[in-house]
Amino acid sequence: MRESLESNAQRVKDFTAREQNGLIARNDLLKVQLQKSQVQLSLDEAEKNVRIINYELVQLLKLPAATQIIVDPSNVDPNLFATPILPENDALTKRHDLEALSFAEKAADAHVKVAKSAFFPSLALTGGYVALDLQNVATVTNAMNVGVGVSYNLSSIFKSGNDVKAAKSRAEEVREQKEILSDRIKTGIVKAQEDYNLSIQQDEVYNEAVAQAAENYRIVRDKYDNGLSDTTELLDADVAELSAKINLAYARANRVLKFYELLEATGSLTESFNIKP
């Protein structure tokens, strides 16, 4: 947009000189002045959005409020798109949210086993000393007896039945949550892959569109200089070229975004970062 604004400012100067020399109508000068104003308004809006997003990002990262974050397409790692995309099964092992449910599932199964343990009798070692005196039969002094005691807590058995049912219900709930999340992750990976493939195609199309728009503007400009086209056609061709360049810039940014989203879906986003201390 800045490049377009400079181009339009120069065109206004050229048309002003032509209008003063009686080579073009006043209306043609007004058209180029209007276009320059429209580009200026668009640029002001874009710069405002940049300032707002910069502030939000600075706040998110807890940086000083005056920090200016510079984003430039040339700063994107050229090897970014060479990052391998994990197969679906491998990607599932990288998702920490799914891993957390796996641990919860194991914990729920363990809780079921604990609840079931109340059905079994409790064992205990018993021991003691006995002094026995049977008249005219036998006399035993300080005899030790040792054994194993088995006991049931009937109230605990009835209560444990409800505990086991609750534990099994919780375990089944966790398994269902894990299955739902697994299906959602698989769907998300497919969608992210399709979105990324589409972004690549759009990038190629917009590359061609920029070349076509530039050639169209060159032809219209030549025709205008030779009096074969009017100012409206020239400005339309100029706007079409600017739109093509803007669309290409969006397409390139969108391709990076969709690639990051694909890495996120496969659980390998953080591994793609090159963080230096």
Side-chain angles (χ1 to χ4, degrees), residues 121-127 146-152:
S122 59
L123 302 178
L125 275 176
T126 61
V146 178
V148 177
V150 179
S151 65
Y152 282 93

Side-chain angles (χ1 to χ4, degrees), residues 1-261:
M1 287 183 178
R2 291 191 183 98
E3 292 175 0
S4 179
L5 184 61
E6 292 176 2
S7 176
N8 277 274
Q10 183 59 47
R11 184 178 297 120
V12 168
K13 291 180 181 180
D14 295 341
F15 275 55
T16 299
R18 293 185 181 185
E19 191 270 339
Q20 292 174 349
N21 292 321
L23 299 177
I24 61 172
R26 175 70 175 172
N27 187 53
D28 289 339
L29 174 59
L30 294 175
K31 286 180 180 179
V32 296
Q33 288 175 334
L34 177 60
Q35 186 185 46
K36 176 179 176 294
S37 298
Q38 290 173 338
V39 173
Q40 180 66 63
L41 291 173
S42 298
L43 179 59
D44 292 342
E45 177 72 16
E47 290 177 339
K48 180 208 72 173
N49 292 334
V50 168
R51 288 193 296 271
I52 292 175
I53 295 174
N54 185 89
Y55 179 79
E56 291 176 345
L57 186 55
V58 166
Q59 291 295 310
L60 178 65
L61 299 177
K62 306 302 181 183
L63 298 174
T67 301
Q68 293 295 316
I69 299 175
I70 307 301
V71 179
D72 192 303
S74 62
N75 291 335
V76 176
D77 184 355
N79 298 318
L80 170 66
F81 303 110
T83 303
I85 301 301
L86 293 175
E88 184 179 280
N89 291 335
D90 293 340
L92 291 176
T93 64
K94 291 283 188 178
R95 290 290 297 255
H96 297 303
D97 46 358
L98 190 60
E99 183 182 17
L101 280 181
S102 295
F103 285 126
E105 182 182 18
K106 292 179 181 179
D109 290 337
H111 187 64
V112 172
K113 293 179 180 178
V114 171
K116 284 183 176 180
S117 66
F119 287 127
F120 301 101
S122 59
L123 302 178
L125 275 176
T126 61
Y129 289 92
V130 176
L132 180 65
D133 184 9
L134 297 180
Q135 189 175 4
N136 301 324
V137 176
T139 300
V140 179
T141 304
N142 293 333
M144 185 176 68
N145 64 82
V146 178
V148 177
V150 179
S151 65
Y152 282 93
N153 188 333
L154 294 181
S155 62
S156 177
I157 291 176
F158 290 113
K159 180 182 177 182
S160 297
N162 293 328
D163 291 342
V164 171
K165 289 180 181 179
K168 285 183 176 180
S169 177
R170 173 56 184 163
E172 186 62 28
E173 180 183 350
V174 172
R175 272 189 283 273
E176 289 180 359
Q177 291 176 351
K178 182 181 176 183
E179 184 176 351
I180 291 173
L181 179 59
S182 179
D183 291 340
R184 190 178 300 164
I185 290 174
K186 292 177 182 178
T187 302
I189 291 174
V190 172
K191 182 181 182 300
Q193 183 69 66
E194 291 297 328
D195 287 344
Y196 176 59
N197 292 340
L198 178 60
S199 72
I200 294 176
Q201 296 173 359
Q202 291 175 334
D203 190 22
E204 294 173 352
V205 171
Y206 284 127
N207 263 306
E208 296 176 357
V210 167
Q212 294 165 351
E215 178 63 14
N216 177 65
Y217 177 75
R218 185 190 67 78
I219 293 173
V220 174
R221 179 61 186 265
D222 288 344
K223 292 173 64 177
Y224 178 82
D225 290 342
N226 290 284
L228 300 177
S229 65
D230 58 22
T231 305
T232 300
E233 292 176 325
L234 177 65
L235 297 181
D236 287 344
D238 186 37
V239 170
E241 184 180 21
L242 174 61
S243 297
K245 290 180 179 179
I246 292 175
N247 289 336
L248 177 59
Y250 277 126
R252 287 177 175 172
N254 187 60
R255 182 182 176 186
V256 176
L257 171 63
K258 295 306 177 184
F259 188 75
Y260 279 138
E261 289 179 350

